[in-house]
Amino acid sequence: MKVVIVGAGAIGLLIGSYLSERNHEITYITRSTVQAEKLRLQGITLIQPNGEKVNTQVQAFTDFRLAPTEALWIVAVKFHQLTNLEKELQSLSLSTTLVFVQNGLAHLKWINRLKHQDIYIATIEHGAVKQDATTVLHKGVGLTKIAPHIMTSKAPIDISIFQTSFFQSEMVEDAYTIVLRKVVLNACINPITAILQIKNGELITNSHAFHLMKSIFEEILLSFPEISQTLTFEDVKELCVKTSQNYSSMLQDRLNHRKSEIESIVGVLLQMAATKERDLPLLRTLYYLVLALDEKGESFE
Ligand SMILES: NC(=O)C1=CN([C@@H]2O[C@H](COP(=O)(O)OP(=O)(O)OC[C@H]3O[C@@H](n4cnc5c(N)ncnc54)[C@H](OP(=O)(O)O)[C@@H]3O)[C@@H](O)[C@H]2O)C=CC1
Ligand SMILES: CC(C)(CO)C(=O)C(=O)O
């Protein structure tokens, strides 16, 4: 099957490497011509959790028009980078199936501006770090959940394409439920790791970081009790353990002087709590700390 991945960052490279194990033809849309050229020449190098290196040949372009439209398109950019892609995504045939993999909640509303017949949402519980333009380190194995957000063509995507050695996936019914679960996981993990500059595993081994993470979880649950149906604190701990060697995507943004996803992860949760006249003071403090770090950052796109 032909698969196009928009965004050759940590997650885009990880997904492309694993999908190609099943002989899918992978094409990347990158922002820079330099990265596209490197990907075409060198392919992707994936360093698996067992240390094994796997190289995959791929196509890569900066121009959407050079990629196949009769393909599954996976959009693997950050939420705030979607705006720049709106025109190109709108220009794709309405029968092109799209999959969005962003953390946070903001993309659910944004996606509604697209008119495509089939749009899926995926939540990814892997840890991945982009080492250079063509190399990705797989830093923690988790489950990928995929759910239809808009499905009108009656031809669901074949989930087996997302099942490979270290990349297991399951199809679920409700996109909002999985995205809400994932946003709470990220709200517990990402801001603390970004502020303290620690790996996910240190949220368990550092007693004070652990206490803070647990308090954040309990605070969120007080305002959103429905979350307890899909997420327990044991799940939060388990994700920290499974991705213990990973630098959260928010910490990677900080280390690379990139804008963080604090608005689409924590900002949206704070707004949702406000509509119920609830406040999340601990989480709000972390929100302002990450915003302050963002403002201090040297360069943003
Ligand atoms: N990393 C992780 O462990 C995890 C990340 N996630 C989520 O996955 C999503 C992607 O994150 P991640 O891969 O880490 O982020 P990265 O910043 O590593 O990757 C984003 C990529 O998108 C590219 N991009 C941005 N704008 C465009 C554009 N207009 N056209 C083409 N490419 C573009 C960037 O290019 P350039 O390099 O040129 O800026 C970059 O390569 C985020 O929502 C994140 O929260 C979810 C689970 C785990
Ligand atoms: C799964 C996890 C927590 C991996 O670090 C992540 O989603 C992120 O870093 O954004």
Side-chain angles (χ1 to χ4, degrees):
M1 177 174 190
K2 292 184 177 160
V3 179
V4 179
I5 302 178
V6 184
I11 288 297
L13 291 173
L14 185 82
I15 295 176
S17 304
Y18 282 115
L19 293 198
S20 67
E21 255 183 42
R22 295 185 64 119
N23 296 326
H24 301 301
E25 264 177 58
I26 312 293
T27 302
Y28 282 95
I29 301 289
T30 65
R31 181 150 53 179
S32 87
T33 48
V34 175
Q35 190 186 16
E37 201 176 307
K38 283 188 179 167
L39 283 167
R40 284 198 303 270
L41 288 173
Q42 299 166 23
I44 311 167
T45 302
L46 164 72
I47 320 255
Q48 293 192 334
N50 58 8
E52 202 178 303
K53 273 190 184 179
V54 182
N55 185 266
T56 301
Q57 292 311 302
V58 294
Q59 274 301 350
F61 309 104
T62 52
D63 186 340
F64 267 59
R65 289 167 301 183
L66 298 177
T69 47
E70 290 305 311
L72 179 69
W73 281 62
I74 300 174
V75 184
V77 303
K78 301 261 165 62
F79 167 71
H80 51 263
Q81 298 167 332
L82 283 175
T83 323
N84 287 337
L85 289 168
E86 183 175 349
K87 219 172 92 207
E88 280 91 349
L89 290 173
Q90 299 276 22
S91 72
L92 292 175
S93 154
L94 296 186
S95 63
T96 303
T97 301
L98 302 173
V99 182
F100 287 82
V101 303
Q102 288 64 39
N103 275 338
L105 275 163
H107 58 299
L108 284 191
K109 199 166 158 203
W110 188 90
I111 286 167
N112 291 333
R113 66 189 65 205
L114 302 175
K115 303 280 176 284
H116 294 81
Q117 291 159 7
D118 297 302
I119 301 183
Y120 290 80
I121 299 289
T123 56
I124 295 182
E125 295 188 8
H126 291 269
V129 174
K130 178 174 147 188
Q131 184 174 277
D132 58 40
T134 62
T135 310
V136 60
L137 310 172
H138 193 183
K139 290 282 201 178
V141 181
L143 187 65
T144 296
K145 292 187 181 154
I146 304 176
H149 179 58
I150 297 165
M151 217 193 90
T152 48
S153 79
K154 296 199 183 85
I157 52 173
D158 176 7
I159 187 78
S160 73
I161 68 166
F162 292 103
Q163 308 285 17
T164 66
S165 54
F166 285 110
F167 202 89
Q168 294 298 307
S169 311
E170 88 183 13
M171 184 67 88
V172 294
E173 276 178 15
D174 186 38
Y176 181 71
T177 308
I178 56 168
V179 169
L180 186 64
R181 179 180 188 278
K182 183 72 201 297
V183 85
V184 176
L185 285 164
N186 287 118
C188 291
I189 296 173
N190 293 24
I192 307 176
T193 52
I195 294 162
L196 297 179
Q197 300 201 33
I198 56 175
K199 288 181 184 171
N200 292 0
E202 288 173 73
L203 289 170
I204 304 291
T205 56
N206 181 307
S207 62
H208 301 291
F210 179 80
H211 178 75
L212 180 58
M213 176 171 74
K214 190 161 186 285
S215 308
I216 298 277
F217 179 75
E218 285 163 0
E219 182 183 80
I220 296 174
L221 227 64
L222 276 181
S223 291
F224 301 98
E226 67 279 16
I227 284 165
S228 62
Q229 289 167 16
T230 55
L231 186 69
T232 64
F233 188 61
E234 285 307 305
D235 298 324
V236 181
K237 285 193 318 193
E238 193 186 318
L239 184 58
C240 294
V241 171
K242 281 187 171 163
T243 61
S244 61
Q245 292 310 306
N246 199 44
Y247 295 106
S248 74
S249 54
M250 199 170 278
L251 174 54
Q252 291 179 54
D253 287 337
R254 180 174 178 197
L255 296 174
N256 290 297
H257 308 290
R258 296 186 302 234
K259 180 178 160 69
S260 78
E261 295 183 290
I262 193 73
E263 287 295 358
S264 52
I265 295 175
V266 174
V268 176
L269 266 183
L270 293 175
Q271 280 166 25
M272 284 166 61
T275 62
K276 299 173 161 200
E277 296 189 358
R278 308 279 314 200
D279 191 19
L280 307 170
L282 272 179
L283 193 58
R284 191 156 40 81
T285 304
L286 299 188
Y287 169 72
Y288 284 118
L289 285 172
V290 175
L291 282 179
L293 289 171
D294 274 5
E295 195 171 303
K296 206 165 141 267
E298 282 158 21
S299 64
F300 287 155
E301 58 236 278

